[in-house]
Amino acid sequence: MQSDFTFSIIKPNAVRTGKTGPILSMINEAGFEISAIKMVKMTLSQAETFYEVHRGRPFFEGLVEFMSSGPVVVMILRHENAIDDFRKLIGATDPAKAEPGTIRKIFAVSVQMNAVHGSDSFENAAKEADYFFSGIERF
Ligand code: IDP
Ligand code: MG
């Protein structure tokens, strides 16, 4: 489905190693407009809620532990066809399979620590944006 916004997270590994600026710069150069942004540190239980759809998968526990291990940058990004275009900009989940020049290819250190999250559908983008941002925090 077409959508004019998506939701993204710069994951703890990337924030911790000083990649926030370079990643924001790539997002900016690709033409996405930041319509909400802040830094948060999720509790384990908040990360579990965010990744609820993956509960039961073999990687779930490691993932939520990782995502609550340090601050992340959460944002709402505007662009025509935002969801698909942003997934193209970040590349495949597994950085080994990501296209050259994608954010994950450049900044991921493993499948788990793959630098960024991008919503996979309009419904999830709306839900994820609402999970982190109140009305007065988005423009
Ligand atoms: P996506 O982030 O590309 O949408 P999902 O399948 O939704 O990928 O998985 C959510 C996140 O869970 C991934 O971004 C990655 O951090 C982690 N993950 C997915 N599959 C694996 C795996 O096989 N091993 C370790 N972590 C994984
Ligand atoms: Mg996903």
Side-chain angles (χ1 to χ4, degrees), residues 21 24 36 103 106 112 118:
L24 286 175
I103 294 178
I106 297 167
Q112 180 191 73

Side-chain angles (χ1 to χ4, degrees), residues 1-2 32 81-89 119-120:
M1 187 198 270
Q2 291 254 341
F32 289 84
N81 199 26
I83 287 165
D84 291 346
D85 284 5
F86 192 68
R87 300 270 310 184
K88 266 182 219 137
L89 177 66
S119 306
D120 62 4

Side-chain angles (χ1 to χ4, degrees), residues 10-15 17-27 66 89-90 92-93 95-96 98-116:
I10 303 178
K11 297 189 180 187
N13 66 297
V15 172
T17 57
K19 303 305 188 308
T20 300
I23 290 172
L24 286 175
S25 175
M26 284 184 72
I27 291 170
F66 163 58
L89 177 66
I90 68 180
T93 308
E99 293 288 320
T102 58
I103 294 178
R104 282 171 166 169
K105 190 66 171 186
I106 297 167
F107 297 108
V109 296
S110 67
V111 182
Q112 180 191 73
M113 299 189 191
N114 59 3
V116 278

Side-chain angles (χ1 to χ4, degrees), residues 118-132:
S119 306
D120 62 4
S121 67
F122 174 75
E123 289 75 15
N124 285 337
K127 206 162 104 183
E128 292 168 1
D130 288 349
Y131 186 59
F132 285 100

